[in-house]
Amino acid sequence: MHSSFRRIASSDVRLSLTPRRLATRRPISTSSPPPDPAEPLTRPQLKTLVLGRYAKNGKFSGLARHVLASPSVLLAACRNLAAPSPPDAAPLPPPPPSSALLDSVSRRFSLSEMGREIAEGRFDVAACCVAMAPSRKKGEPLLLPGLKLKVLIEALRMVLEVVYDERFATFAYGGRVGVGRHTAVRYLKASVQNPSWWFTVKFDRQKFDCAHVSKLCKVIEEKIDDSLFIDLIRTLFECQAVSIELGGCYLGRGFPQESGLCAILINIYFNGLDKEIQDLRLQMNKENLKFESNENVSDSTSNVFYKPVKVYAVRYLDEMLFITSGSKILTLDLKNNIVKYIEEKLELKVDRVRTAIHSPTMEKIEFLGMELQAVLPSVLHPPMSEKAVRARKKYLRQKEVKALEMRNARERNRKKLGLKILSHVFKKLKCTNGFKFDIQIENEVNEIFRTWADEVVQDFLGSLEERYNWHRVLSAGNFLSLQRIRDQLPQELVFAYDKFQKEVDKHLSPVKAMKALKEEERREEEEKEQKYAEMTVHDLTRLCIRVDAPIGVVRKAVKMAGFTNNMGRPRPIKLLIALDDADIIKWYAGVGKRWLDYFCCCHNFKMVKTVVTYHLRFSCILTLAEKHESTKLEAIRHYSKDLKFLDACENEMFYFPTEKEVKMMGDRNLSDPKPVDGVLTLALIRLAFDCKPLHSCIAHFCDRTDVVFYRIRLLQNRLNVNPLNEEKWISGLGVIHESLNRKCLPVCPVHIDDLYMGKITLQNIDVGSFVDVDDL
């Protein structure tokens, strides 16, 4: 296939902006300016630098000229873009060396010149944007920031994070370090008790306009007295380099139309609402009566159960959940106050139809892409059935027997070794002294035999419990103890049975073991009764939050993406046949791992594991079989069910979660995950060319030129489905902007793996490296 390449120029799309050129990324030149003498600042150093600009009037001043324009701060922003932070549970990637990073940045632009432009207010935001033409004639173009502007945006985010992060409310999640989706879910599961009513605040689909941006700037001016800093943020919105759309499906998803600055700006905008909620909660706690400290209401003998009225709030960016343990009237007043504040103070439109009060026990509510419901503690932690108890006892008994066998084997081997040593000693003595034993040697031999005798006695005492169990088995069903039965039998048989029973009682009925077993059975019975009583009291006095994965939505996504057919059985995805075997497995692994990471905190996580283990795994196997024109069994025989493949060094590589790994997954190690939408809703198809043009990798500050071109194929364009149609599209599934469809990305082998596996997203690429491929 012969293809020609062209960069995305500004003439592709006409924008309603001032006539400024749109910067595009050029191939890396061999002659570069000398590197800037700067070292990237660490987080504590940046915090010290920002706090040094704190004035006596309670505001920060001179942040743009003295902090944002510093080459060290800009280089730290470049370091964050080059090595994005992974989820909390994953190990941090090694940062690139400062010298190598500085050389890579200097080939593209000068940090010193960029700092002077920021300090003097000459930084041209519009010139650093790249316009993406829509794939349809009636589509809207997308304006994305270039690499130089991304550095400025990341520096702004870093400064705002130092200023505001510690001032946010504790229930404000998203866009903060270590405070994400799973942290919010963990709070709901551990802290919320006895909910009576709850509701979520739903927004109409709306973008931040000039009024909202002005209000946001006024909020920032309350803490930052720097007109140049505020003007930069306002200019970003005016040039559409940063845009916020409430009520959409992309906030916090890592999509290219979402900037990394959006999350913290949303938290700043809603910070006034968070403080209002805190005041309402404090007021409600003062109005509700409480027991005095001298009244012992927690005594186990008391029949009084005190349930204080509490208000719980969780906000993840623009998603809000409010829970109360009071009456419906109290919840209605709370909802009206919140909606009134949002509409009047924040000037946002609330969907009052979907912002309705629900009963936690009767209806499920959707929040953070999961389903919440209030249930009894026994539903979350049900007691073990009799069959499960018997199976567990059987397993423990088998474990004890195996341990006993291993211990006996060790003792047997030790005794054999001792006998060999004694035999060897006897032979030596026979040859030297002619059966005349030395007194010291005789004492040592006697000590060995005494030790051996003690071990035999200990083994016998250890088997008393087993002997007692045998006695109970042999004594069960003692029908010959009945007099009417004994009269009907011959006397010889009766005498023989009595003699046999005496021998059984003599050898298999130790009194101490019998008493110990009865005491153990009594203690287990008491513990069982106590646990049952506590569980009954908890079921009568407590309600907990159960978090479930929307299995219906997951199954619909599996079917719409093409993993299954109309019958719900796995099927191949023929679009992926053009990829290498490793890329096919990585694409499926990226979807599966993100689903498992995202829903691992759910109560019905086993059903999600079944979807990943069965549908995705066998769809991948069928895709590989379809590519190589083989059968499913042959593909399983070659790749195995764990989808292993050999790399260039003949090493076995596993990217897809193995069946053992999937079984061991749960909510023990929770991280703040990146959703699966970025992988599920697009496919990267590898292209073949006669020659490789000189292009660098799309990843930020990656200088590798051994790239391969991949074409983006979006799910909504492949299916010809309008994402705004809720009947055909999946509710809550994110949508990548249509302008990226059929664009080609030059990616190096390292970053294509990171893109497939979810270590980086489409936000971590340089949009100036997008190319269009025209078939001749």
Side-chain angles (χ1 to χ4, degrees):
M1 180 179 66
H2 300 281
S3 304
S4 62
F5 298 88
R6 61 183 177 85
R7 291 287 182 181
I8 299 177
S10 59
S11 58
D12 295 337
V13 181
R14 296 185 179 274
L15 304 174
S16 58
L17 296 174
T18 57
R20 298 171 177 172
R21 64 179 184 87
L22 298 181
T24 58
R25 183 176 175 182
R26 301 173 181 174
I28 300 175
S29 60
T30 56
S31 61
S32 59
D36 295 286
E39 287 292 332
L41 295 181
T42 61
R43 181 178 174 83
Q45 291 174 345
L46 177 63
K47 186 174 181 180
T48 303
L49 182 62
V50 173
L51 295 180
R53 307 307 306 174
Y54 189 75
K56 294 182 179 180
N57 58 355
K59 295 183 180 182
F60 293 87
S61 61
L63 292 179
R65 289 186 175 87
H66 302 282
V67 179
L68 200 61
S70 173
S72 300
V73 176
L74 296 176
L75 189 59
C78 297
R79 180 191 56 194
N80 293 346
L81 294 178
S85 300
D88 295 341
L92 290 173
S98 300
S99 59
L101 178 61
L102 188 58
D103 293 341
S104 180
V105 173
S106 300
R107 292 190 185 99
R108 291 163 174 84
F109 54 85
S110 173
L111 291 177
S112 300
E113 179 62 26
M114 181 179 175
R116 284 193 295 269
E117 291 177 356
I118 295 173
E120 297 173 4
R122 297 185 293 105
F123 189 86
D124 195 350
V125 174
C128 297
C129 296
V130 178
M132 308 297 296
S135 58
R136 298 180 295 112
K137 292 182 179 180
K138 297 182 179 180
E140 296 181 357
L142 177 64
L143 208 66
L144 296 177
L147 183 58
K148 188 176 180 180
L149 184 56
K150 280 188 175 182
V151 174
L152 175 61
I153 291 175
E154 176 63 19
L156 284 169
R157 188 200 64 80
M158 293 164 53
V159 174
L160 290 175
E161 183 181 15
V162 174
V163 175
Y164 283 98
D165 190 65
E166 296 181 357
R167 292 175 172 83
F168 290 142
T170 56
F171 55 84
Y173 300 88
R176 304 173 63 186
V177 179
V179 185
R181 286 181 174 86
H182 279 165
T183 311
V185 172
R186 191 184 301 116
Y187 167 76
L188 290 173
K189 294 167 63 176
S191 301
V192 178
Q193 295 182 5
N194 301 321
S196 301
W197 304 94
W198 59 16
F199 64 93
T200 57
V201 178
K202 300 292 185 180
F203 293 97
D204 291 335
R205 199 177 184 92
Q206 55 186 320
K207 288 186 177 182
F208 257 43
D209 54 14
C210 297
H212 298 132
V213 174
S214 299
K215 184 173 288 296
L216 174 64
C217 293
K218 290 181 180 179
V219 174
I220 297 177
E221 287 175 354
E222 295 177 359
K223 295 301 298 181
I224 299 177
D225 186 12
D226 190 346
S227 59
L228 186 57
F229 190 91
I230 304 298
D231 291 340
L232 276 175
I233 297 177
R234 185 180 288 107
T235 306
L236 290 175
F237 281 96
E238 292 176 354
C239 297
Q240 301 179 9
V242 174
S243 62
I244 298 176
E245 182 179 0
L246 300 179
C249 299
Y250 70 87
L251 283 179
R253 307 299 179 100
F255 291 163
Q257 65 265 30
E258 175 199 3
S259 173
L261 189 62
C262 292
I264 192 168
L265 292 180
I266 290 176
N267 288 332
I268 295 173
Y269 194 78
F270 284 102
N271 192 34
L273 175 63
D274 297 341
K275 293 181 179 179
E276 183 71 16
I277 295 170
Q278 287 179 332
D279 295 340
L280 290 174
R281 293 172 64 180
L282 293 175
Q283 181 181 357
M284 200 164 294
N285 291 333
K286 292 180 180 179
E287 292 177 355
N288 291 280
L289 297 176
K290 294 184 180 181
F291 283 93
E292 298 295 335
S293 58
N294 55 3
E295 296 185 25
N296 189 10
V297 297
S298 61
D299 189 4
S300 59
T301 60
S302 177
N303 296 326
V304 178
F305 297 97
Y306 173 58
K307 296 182 180 180
V309 178
K310 292 187 177 181
V311 176
Y312 303 94
V314 176
R315 182 181 64 80
Y316 181 83
L317 298 182
D318 63 333
E319 298 185 59
M320 305 179 192
L321 173 65
F322 298 93
I323 307 172
T324 66
S325 59
S327 62
K328 188 174 183 179
I329 297 177
L330 182 143
T331 309
L332 184 61
D333 294 339
L334 176 65
K335 189 196 78 168
N336 293 334
N337 292 333
I338 292 174
V339 172
K340 181 180 179 181
Y341 186 92
I342 293 175
E343 291 182 344
E344 294 182 357
K345 299 295 183 62
L346 302 182
E347 299 179 1
L348 298 175
K349 298 179 182 179
V350 178
D351 189 349
R352 293 180 175 267
V353 176
R354 294 190 297 166
T355 306
I357 299 175
H358 301 276
S359 172
T361 56
M362 301 299 294
E363 300 174 273
K364 292 183 178 180
I365 194 169
E366 182 182 353
F367 183 66
L368 297 179
M370 305 174 192
E371 295 177 349
L372 310 181
Q373 190 175 14
V375 296
L376 300 175
S378 60
V379 177
L380 287 178
H381 307 286
M384 297 178 65
S385 62
E386 295 182 0
K387 183 178 180 180
V389 172
R390 291 196 301 269
R392 181 173 179 80
K393 288 183 177 180
K394 181 179 179 181
Y395 167 74
L396 294 177
R397 180 58 185 168
Q398 291 176 350
K399 191 176 179 180
E400 292 176 359
V401 170
K402 188 175 181 180
L404 181 61
E405 291 177 352
M406 294 180 64
R407 186 169 62 251
N408 292 338
R410 288 194 298 268
E411 294 295 335
R412 183 175 62 253
N413 296 334
R414 191 180 296 114
K415 291 173 183 177
K416 288 182 179 180
L417 180 61
L419 291 175
K420 288 182 180 180
I421 295 174
L422 288 174
S423 177
H424 180 72
V425 171
F426 290 155
K427 288 181 181 179
K428 290 293 183 180
L429 291 174
K430 182 179 179 180
C431 296
T432 56
N433 299 331
F435 293 101
K436 292 182 179 180
F437 296 97
D438 188 76
I439 298 176
Q440 184 177 0
I441 296 177
E442 184 178 359
N443 293 335
E444 292 178 358
V445 173
N446 292 334
E447 183 66 25
I448 292 174
F449 277 106
R450 281 197 299 271
T451 304
W452 175 76
D454 293 340
E455 292 178 355
V456 172
V457 172
Q458 292 295 331
D459 292 341
F460 174 76
L461 294 178
S463 63
L464 289 179
E465 181 179 348
E466 185 176 359
R467 291 171 178 269
Y468 175 64
N469 292 333
W470 276 103
H471 176 262
R472 287 197 301 177
V473 173
L474 294 175
S475 301
N478 189 5
F479 59 93
L480 288 178
S481 61
L482 301 177
Q483 189 62 36
R484 62 178 183 274
I485 301 298
R486 298 171 66 93
D487 295 341
Q488 298 177 10
L489 297 176
Q491 294 298 320
E492 293 82 1
L493 178 61
V494 174
F495 291 153
Y497 172 77
D498 292 342
K499 184 177 179 180
F500 169 75
Q501 192 64 38
K502 288 180 181 179
E503 295 294 328
V504 169
D505 294 340
K506 179 180 178 181
H507 295 283
L508 300 179
S509 181
V511 179
K512 291 184 179 180
M514 180 178 61
K515 290 182 179 179
L517 285 177
K518 288 184 178 180
E519 182 67 23
E520 184 67 22
E521 290 178 356
R522 185 185 63 80
R523 186 165 58 252
E524 290 180 356
E525 189 68 24
E526 290 180 355
E527 291 178 358
K528 186 177 180 181
E529 292 179 357
Q530 184 178 0
K531 289 182 180 179
Y532 180 78
E534 292 177 357
M535 186 178 298
T536 304
V537 173
H538 288 170
D539 284 350
L540 294 175
T541 58
R542 290 182 58 187
L543 285 175
C544 302
I545 301 296
R546 182 180 66 185
V547 182
D548 289 338
I551 297 300
V553 175
V554 173
R555 289 175 178 170
K556 186 178 179 181
V558 166
K559 181 179 179 181
M560 190 178 73
F563 296 114
T564 60
N565 55 17
N566 294 330
M567 300 295 292
R569 297 175 180 174
R571 61 177 293 271
I573 300 180
K574 296 183 179 180
L575 182 66
L576 303 176
I577 293 178
L579 297 175
D580 294 338
D581 294 351
D583 289 344
I584 293 175
I585 296 175
K586 291 171 188 175
W587 186 85
Y588 278 95
V591 178
K593 284 189 174 182
R594 293 195 193 185
W595 258 336
L596 294 174
D597 291 340
Y598 190 78
F599 293 114
C600 67
C601 59
C602 297
H603 185 259
N604 59 346
F605 183 53
K606 290 183 179 179
M607 303 184 71
V608 181
K609 291 194 289 188
T610 302
V611 171
V612 175
T613 303
Y614 177 66
H615 293 93
L616 270 67
R617 189 185 304 274
F618 281 92
S619 176
C620 182
I621 292 173
L622 292 174
T623 303
L624 293 171
E626 184 80 12
K627 175 184 177 181
H628 296 286
E629 299 180 354
S630 61
T631 62
K632 180 179 70 174
L633 295 179
E634 292 175 351
I636 293 175
R637 193 178 303 114
H638 184 270
Y639 298 98
S640 76
K641 287 187 178 180
D642 291 332
L643 295 173
K644 65 179 180 181
F645 67 94
L646 301 178
D647 59 0
C649 299
E650 298 298 327
N651 297 323
E652 291 185 354
M653 304 296 295
F654 293 91
Y655 287 99
F656 199 91
T658 62
E659 292 183 343
K660 185 177 181 180
E661 290 176 353
V662 174
K663 289 180 181 179
M664 297 299 293
M665 286 183 178
D667 59 351
R668 296 179 182 87
N669 297 322
L670 296 181
S671 60
D672 294 329
K674 297 177 181 177
V676 72
D677 304 347
V679 176
L680 180 64
T681 56
L682 67 85
L684 299 176
I685 308 303
R686 182 170 181 171
L687 303 181
F689 303 101
D690 296 336
C691 60
K692 291 185 178 180
L694 182 59
H695 287 278
S696 60
C697 180
I698 61 170
H700 293 155
F701 304 108
C702 181
D703 297 334
R704 297 185 59 170
T705 56
D706 54 336
V707 298
V708 177
F709 282 85
Y710 290 84
R711 188 196 297 274
I712 297 178
R713 297 292 300 275
L714 299 182
L715 180 63
Q716 66 265 24
N717 291 74
R718 282 171 24 216
L719 301 176
N720 195 18
V721 176
N722 184 11
L724 298 178
N725 189 353
E726 297 181 357
E727 296 180 358
K728 295 184 178 181
W729 192 253
I730 300 174
S731 177
L733 185 65
V735 182
I736 300 177
H737 198 274
E738 62 178 359
S739 62
L740 298 182
N741 190 45
R742 302 187 67 83
K743 293 294 186 297
C744 292
L745 312 177
V747 195
C748 67
V750 174
H751 287 104
I752 189 62
D753 294 350
D754 295 342
L755 190 59
Y756 276 127
M757 300 302 295
K759 296 179 182 178
I760 63 174
T761 64
L762 294 179
Q763 281 188 353
N764 307 120
I765 63 176
D766 181 11
V767 295
S769 295
F770 288 174
V771 295
D772 286 336
V773 178
D774 297 332
D775 295 332
L776 298 179

